[in-house]
Every structure is written in C-alpha cells, then in structure tokens.
Amino acid sequence: MIYTAIDTFHLLEEQIRNSPSVKDGISEDTETVLRLYGCELIQESGIMLKLPQAVMATGQVLFHRFYCKKSFARFNVKRVAASCVWLAAKLEESSRKIQHVLNVFHRMECRREKRPLESLDPLSKKYEDLKIDLIRTERHLLKEMGFICHVEHPHKFIINYLTQLEAPPELMQEAWNLANDSLRTTLCVRFKSEVVACGVVYAASLRFSVPLPESPPWWKVFNAEKSEIDEVCRALANLYTQPKGRYVEVCKDLRSFVLTSRAWDPPPESQDLLRIGSNNGIIQDQLVNTDLEAKECIVKIALDKMKSSNWKELRFSDDRSAATANGGLREDSSCGKMKHARGKEDSVVDKRREKDRDLSRARKRDIGKERGCDNETSILWDQGRDGDRDNAADRERKKMKDKDYRIKERRKDAARLEKSRHRLSSRVKEYQNSYTGCEREHHQHQPYS
C-alpha cells in the first residue's frame, strides 16, 4: 500500500509493545536500552561529523521507525545507526562521504570497547565489506519506509507556540532541550509533532513554574488533547529514570565495525602447522589460548620449518658439488627433456631457413644464365631493380604528401575567407542597427507635423 500523505507513520502503544523484537524473544527493557544506545550513537556521530541538529533528529526518527517494523535480533543496531546517519544526511542536504561515516563509527566502537584506535584502511577487504553492508542496510531502510522518509520535527512548532504565548527565552531553551531528548523515546512514532511540541512546552512550564493560559485552554488552539500531553510528560519522566544506553548482543549477526571480542583463532594453515609441530615434539600438547602465546608458537614453528628447509638445501648443494667433482651429475629428467625438445625445434627452423636461402640463390643463378651474365652481375641487376622500385615508392609517397598539404592549405584558406565574410556581415549589421537606433531617436525628438 502506498501512502500519499506526507507524514503517516504513527502507531498505537499496543503495536509498539508487540514489536517484532518482542516477538523474537527480546524483553521490553532490552529493547528500550538498545533504542537509547542507537540514538546515542547517532547523536555522537553527528557531532563528530559536524552535522546540523536536524540531521541527527531525522536519523533518530528513522531509527525508531525501522525498529518498529524490524527486530533487533535480525539487524545489528550499530549498522542500522550508521545507515540512518548516512541516509538522514542526504535527506537534509548535508551529505557526508561513506568513508567518513565508517571511520567515525569505527572510532566510536574502538573507544567504547576500550580497544586501541586503529585507522580503517579504505583498500582493505574489511572496509569493502562494511561499505557494502552499509549500502544494503540503507536499502532495507528505504524499503521499509516505502521511500517516504519525510520527517516533521516538533522544534519549529515550539518556537511558534512560545512566541504566541510570549514565553521567556529560558522557557524556550528548556523546551528545545526536552524536544531533543524526546527523540530518544518512541514519542516520534506515537504522536504527531504538534502534540509532542505541546507536551514539551507544558513540561518546561512546569519545571520553571511559568503559568500558561487555561481559560480557554492553550492546547486547544494547537489541536492537542490534555491526555496526549500528559502521556508525553510521562514518557519524558520515564526517560530520565532509565540507565545509560549500552550494547546488548541480541543480533544473530555478530559482526561489528571492529574485530569481535572472541579469542584469536589461527588460520587453517597455522592450525596444520601446530598439529605437525605437536606430533614432532616441537611444542607441547596443550597451548595457552591467549593471542600472544599462540602467535609466538606459530612463529617458532615457522622458524623451525625454515631451518629444516635451509638444512635440506645445504645438504642438496653439498651432494651436488660432490657429484660434479666425481663427474656424475645428472640433470633432472623433466628439464632435460624440455631442453632436448627445444634444441630439436631450433635445429629444424635453422634447416628450413638454410633451404630457403639455397632456393633463392639457385633461382637468381638461373635468371643470370638465361640473360647471359655471371652470378655477380645478375645479383647487381636484381639489386638495381629493387632500388628503382624503392625510388618509385618514395616518389609516390612524396606526391601523396604534397597532395595532402595542398588540401590542408585549401581548407585553411576557405576557413579564413569564411571568417572574413562573417566579420564583414557582423559589421554591416552593427552599422545598420546603429543607424536605425539614431533614426529612431530622431523620430522621437522630432514628431511628425
């Protein structure tokens, strides 16, 4: 179904409680913590990317809308947050490069998980995988939104409402801060932005003890209900009692922007080396599972293997030198066969060339005998005939060059003539225009009698 309205994404509280994440076995508290964590990632990344607040607000709204239709167990919250920032920046006409977005989220994850800060190489396979996954997640976002990504924020309504109510600037600043905090809750998908603006203004007035007109009620002017305003205030109060958002592993896809926290597993080749080394008695049967010790063991095995290979090479070289001293060195059979085959081919080619030369000499001798001259004179005659042919070919080339040169000169002359005609016609037109202009001025100053 395609919606033609601008902003139609509003759900009931029961629909939010029965979200896809809850159906996948995720508790409501865990879902709230993950929503807070994703919104914090979007806000922090927007500050690091120097994006305006409108981009961060749009990204958080898209984040809540997406997880109202999809589960946290199927889509990683970090990848979705990055895609929301990238898409919101394009929607608000403040786009950033995908490399900058990936670098910012990679740095944030390294800092949050207390890992060494490592730059993300844009030529590495890991960067390419992250880039493809970010683009794919953006497509999922657009598909779930039905490509209707328009977002209406309550901030503009706050300024309009408080200006009409003649509120002090402190109240306006507090309402603005509460509107930013409301983006971390599901208020943006439950109520219209006008209702959220009214609830934020009411909460700010209660905090600063600023009276608002109640006869008639001020919220009636802005098409809001008192029950909805109270619900917005309760949601904001519940937000400030929640702990700080943190990452909870509920997604089946455990990939992240940095390496996983699991122990380092050596590649298959290294595991084979470990097995061989353990069978030969180089290392012990039980290895410590830490990264450094595993790597040290692999290095030791590699060094031992290199030593053994070097020893084999030295032994082979000694055997070879001994064999040459005895005069009994034999080449490898395969190499000898190849060399023998190549030698045969070269000899066949040389024989063919010699036969062709002998045939050409015999023909020249026969031609010379028929003409009644010896071999040397016939050869000189053939050379002279070849020289005449070369001279004729050179003369033909010179004629063609002269012909091409003449054609080029004629074209240049025609182009010059055309330019001169164009200039002359333009001058004539300018003269005619000036004349008609003067004549027009004359008629204006001297009307007909």
Side-chain angles (χ1 to χ4, degrees), residues 88-357:
K90 291 188 282 187
L91 291 174
E92 299 294 337
E93 298 181 357
S94 301
S95 60
R96 295 291 186 269
K97 292 183 178 179
I98 190 171
Q99 181 181 356
H100 297 167
V101 176
L102 291 176
N103 285 332
V104 164
F105 274 85
H106 177 77
R107 186 180 181 87
M108 285 193 304
E109 187 168 0
C110 289
R111 189 173 67 250
R112 285 174 181 268
E113 297 187 3
K114 296 180 181 180
R115 297 183 180 183
L117 297 177
E118 297 177 355
S119 60
L120 196 60
D121 187 11
L123 300 178
S124 62
K125 186 178 182 299
K126 178 184 176 183
Y127 174 83
E128 191 67 24
D129 294 340
L130 290 174
K131 181 179 176 182
I132 293 171
D133 193 76
L134 188 67
I135 296 170
R136 192 177 298 149
T137 309
E138 185 195 20
R139 291 177 184 170
H140 281 292
L141 280 166
L142 293 171
K143 180 183 176 182
E144 294 302 326
M145 303 300 152
F147 289 86
I148 301 175
C149 300
H150 176 76
V151 179
E152 208 167 28
H153 300 296
H155 299 74
K156 62 179 181 179
F157 297 105
I158 290 171
I159 297 173
N160 186 17
Y161 294 173
L162 293 178
T163 302
Q164 294 181 9
L165 295 172
E166 298 179 357
E170 295 84 5
L171 183 64
M172 188 176 294
Q173 183 63 46
E174 182 65 22
W176 190 275
N177 296 337
L178 291 174
N180 290 333
D181 294 339
S182 69
L183 295 170
R184 304 192 179 194
T185 65
T186 57
L187 291 174
C188 56
V189 295
R190 291 172 57 191
F191 303 103
K192 294 182 179 180
S193 54
E194 297 93 331
V195 177
V196 176
C198 290
V200 163
V201 169
Y202 184 68
S205 65
L206 292 177
R207 180 170 293 184
F208 280 90
S209 300
V210 177
L212 296 175
E214 294 185 358
S215 55
W218 61 274
W219 56 83
K220 292 291 185 182
V221 181
F222 305 116
N223 296 325
E225 298 293 335
K226 187 65 169 61
S227 60
E228 295 176 343
I229 293 174
D230 293 338
E231 186 64 29
V232 171
C233 293
R234 280 194 293 270
L236 289 173
N238 187 25
L239 172 66
Y240 295 126
T241 59
Q242 294 290 335
K244 189 177 180 180
R246 68 183 187 280
Y247 179 67
V248 182
E249 288 188 359
V250 295
C251 183
K252 298 177 183 178
D253 184 11
L254 296 177
R255 293 178 299 171
S256 61
F257 287 91
V258 295
L259 295 174
T260 57
S261 58
R262 293 177 295 177
W264 179 75
D265 296 328
E269 299 177 358
S270 303
Q271 292 178 0
D272 295 335
L273 288 174
L274 286 171
R275 295 192 193 98
I276 294 169
S278 60
N279 292 330
N280 293 333
I282 298 174
I283 59 175
Q284 298 177 359
D285 294 336
Q286 294 181 353
L287 294 175
V288 185
N289 291 327
T290 57
D291 300 347
L292 294 175
E293 293 184 0
K295 291 180 181 178
E296 287 177 0
C297 293
I298 291 173
V299 170
K300 287 181 181 179
I301 293 167
L303 290 173
D304 294 336
K305 193 174 183 181
M306 288 175 64
K307 287 179 182 178
S308 63
S309 63
N310 291 333
W311 179 76
K312 289 179 182 177
E313 289 178 359
L314 290 171
R315 186 177 178 182
F316 178 73
S317 62
D318 293 338
D319 296 340
R320 187 174 181 180
S321 60
T324 51
N326 296 328
L329 178 64
R330 296 181 180 179
E331 296 179 352
D332 189 35
S333 60
S334 61
C335 294
K337 289 180 181 179
M338 291 293 292
K339 289 181 180 179
H340 186 64
R342 289 176 185 173
K344 283 186 177 180
E345 291 178 359
D346 295 337
S347 62
V348 171
V349 171
D350 293 336
K351 288 180 181 179
R352 288 178 182 175
R353 288 177 181 174
E354 289 179 359
K355 286 182 180 180
D356 293 337
R357 289 172 188 170

Side-chain angles (χ1 to χ4, degrees), residues 428-444:
V428 170
K429 288 180 181 178
E430 289 177 0
Y431 176 74
Q432 291 176 354
N433 292 334
S434 63
Y435 178 75
T436 53
C438 295
E439 189 175 9
R440 193 182 299 108
E441 291 178 0
H442 179 72
H443 286 300
Q444 287 177 0

Side-chain angles (χ1 to χ4, degrees), residues 44-51 85 96 100-101 104-105:
E44 187 176 351
S45 63
I47 294 171
M48 295 177 69
L49 290 168
K50 298 181 180 179
L51 291 169
V85 171
R96 295 291 186 269
H100 297 167
V101 176
V104 164
F105 274 85

